[in-house]
Amino acid sequence: MRLVIARCSVDYAGRLTAHLPSAPRLILVKADGSVSIHADDRAYKPLNWMSPPCTLKEGADGSEGVWTVVNKAGEKLIITMEEVLHDSSHELGVDPGLIKDGVEAHLQELLADRIETLGDGYTLIRREYPTAIGPVDILCRDADGGTVAVELKRRGDIDGVEQLTRYLDLLNRDPHLAPVRGVFAAQEIKPQARVLATDRGIGCLVLDYDAMRGIEDDKLRLF
């Protein structure tokens, strides 16, 4: 990954046009070829970006200090450098992926073990059902035999709904599973996340972690 902090202006030319006037900004160039422009006031979301596959040319058209990023559709992100304050590259290697915290992992285990929490007649297909973009927390079937994908969070926000939406898009391409509907389950679901989930036809379920642990503790076990 390459990190560049520079005073720069940015112009995007494609389906739309956009202009960012001169200001100090962070430019990220990742190993996958993506380029994103960041300010210091909006958490993780970039001001503008170009997703891979794309090409980056520095000093394109003989203009020193101009970066031109072009994607396969011919759209351009033109970054005009006025002053470079920092420029460094770092090898991050292969990321091990997100490891769920203890509560979230235990919620998944509990819900899979007590799948009827979702409704009468539900049956578990498997936990951590693999997809091309990561595993779905729980895949199950409802009483009518329909496939249900469940995404589990401790605190459910819009990002979790977006994640489940991407999973559903992939799962519904599999004729052996489709149609697949989604359930967003969390100990707390933010109002904005609930609105977005409802708009996309995704069900919401608030989980009581303490009650679920109590159910588990009351189970008869054969040792």
Side-chain angles (χ1 to χ4, degrees):
M1 178 182 289
R2 184 178 177 185
L3 309 175
V4 178
I5 299 175
R7 178 174 292 277
C8 62
S9 60
V10 183
D11 292 279
Y12 170 80
R15 290 166 294 179
L16 303 171
T17 58
H19 174 72
L20 293 173
S22 176
R25 297 188 175 94
L26 168 65
I27 304 167
L28 296 183
V29 183
K30 294 187 177 181
D32 64 3
S34 63
V35 179
S36 55
I37 318 294
H38 297 261
D40 202 17
D41 64 347
R42 52 177 57 208
Y44 63 89
K45 188 174 182 180
L47 296 164
N48 214 327
W49 68 93
M50 192 70 82
S51 300
C54 57
T55 58
L56 166 62
K57 292 184 179 180
E58 299 181 41
D61 301 324
S63 301
E64 187 176 351
V66 176
W67 290 14
T68 302
V69 187
V70 184
N71 67 12
K72 62 180 182 180
E75 299 168 317
K76 293 183 179 181
L77 191 65
I78 301 170
I79 307 168
T80 303
M81 304 287 190
E82 298 172 12
E83 181 184 9
V84 176
L85 305 172
H86 175 86
D87 189 345
S88 63
S89 297
H90 308 270
E91 291 291 338
L92 302 186
V94 178
D95 191 89
L98 178 67
I99 299 175
K100 298 178 185 293
D101 65 32
V103 172
E104 194 169 311
H106 198 205
L107 274 172
Q108 184 192 110
E109 180 183 346
L110 286 170
L111 187 56
D113 193 42
R114 291 286 185 173
I115 199 68
E116 65 271 14
T117 303
L118 294 168
D120 293 336
Y122 274 69
T123 56
L124 179 68
I125 295 176
R126 68 169 286 179
R127 293 168 54 191
E128 300 286 328
Y129 188 89
T131 77
I133 58 174
V136 178
D137 286 328
I138 290 177
L139 197 70
C140 57
R141 295 196 186 278
D142 61 22
D144 298 321
T147 312
V148 181
V150 183
E151 180 63 25
L152 281 161
K153 300 292 182 187
R154 279 210 299 166
R155 294 181 179 84
D157 55 22
I158 286 177
D159 286 347
V161 178
E162 295 284 6
Q163 183 179 0
L164 179 53
T165 300
R166 292 191 291 272
Y167 288 147
L168 290 171
D169 180 63
L170 286 176
L171 292 170
N172 273 299
R173 299 178 193 178
D174 186 339
H176 299 291
L177 298 175
V180 185
R181 63 183 179 88
V183 172
F184 189 49
Q187 290 177 272
E188 173 192 356
I189 298 177
K190 300 293 182 65
Q192 300 93 329
R194 187 179 291 275
V195 170
L196 182 61
T198 301
D199 181 68
R200 295 183 177 179
I202 294 171
C204 292
L205 176 65
V206 176
L207 299 172
D208 187 329
Y209 181 49
D210 291 333
M212 292 177 73
R213 285 190 297 173
I215 290 172
E216 182 193 51
D217 292 340
D218 290 340
K219 283 182 61 182
L220 295 175
R221 295 181 179 274
L222 179 63
F223 294 92

